[in-house]
Amino acid sequence: EDSEQYDGVRWSKERWQWAVIVKDIGNVAGSELVCGFYDTEAEAAKAHDCAEVALDQEHPGARPDKWRRNFPSEAIYQDEVDEQATRIREARTSLAAPRSAG
């Protein structure tokens, strides 16, 4: 269930945590990437802002639509963006990995 308060945040019933969701503008354009799970909705919203910045840094000018920050007046630090860039790469690897029949 998507957050009513923040963009890019969804409740995970399986994990009982808030998931960060971004639409990929890179290798797997248009697919949804899960970039981590957080205990609070606000933590996930801040991580979403950082993930969107990471995508913009990875593919400058590639975004078709402007995204809206959840916390427009809060600082975003490069180490937070780097962490989300790592999570984006991991999420892409998970999408590309073949699934075994079981």
Side-chain angles (χ1 to χ4, degrees):
E1 170 179 324
D2 289 341
S3 169
E4 293 181 12
Q5 196 170 5
Y6 302 111
D7 290 338
V9 176
R10 183 178 298 158
W11 179 250
S12 170
K13 293 177 187 174
E14 295 81 30
R15 304 226 6 196
W16 283 79
Q17 289 180 301
W18 293 97
V20 175
I21 310 291
V22 295
K23 290 232 188 248
D24 197 0
I25 58 173
N27 305 1
V28 195
S31 61
E32 283 190 345
L33 302 174
V34 178
C35 299
F37 296 90
Y38 294 85
D39 291 331
T40 71
E41 197 174 8
E43 288 173 317
K46 169 72 184 225
H48 175 265
D49 288 355
C50 296
E52 292 289 4
V53 171
L55 286 171
D56 285 343
Q57 287 180 355
E58 182 182 28
H59 300 284
R63 189 182 297 277
D65 300 314
K66 188 169 174 74
W67 61 278
R68 183 180 71 87
R69 285 184 58 179
N70 289 308
F71 298 106
S73 60
E74 192 166 321
I76 293 178
Y77 298 99
Q78 189 61 47
D79 63 326
E80 297 170 318
V81 173
D82 294 343
E83 178 184 339
Q84 289 303 316
T86 299
R87 290 177 184 234
I88 288 167
R89 285 191 297 277
E90 291 168 352
R92 284 181 184 141
T93 301
S94 297
L95 279 179
R99 297 182 187 239
S100 59

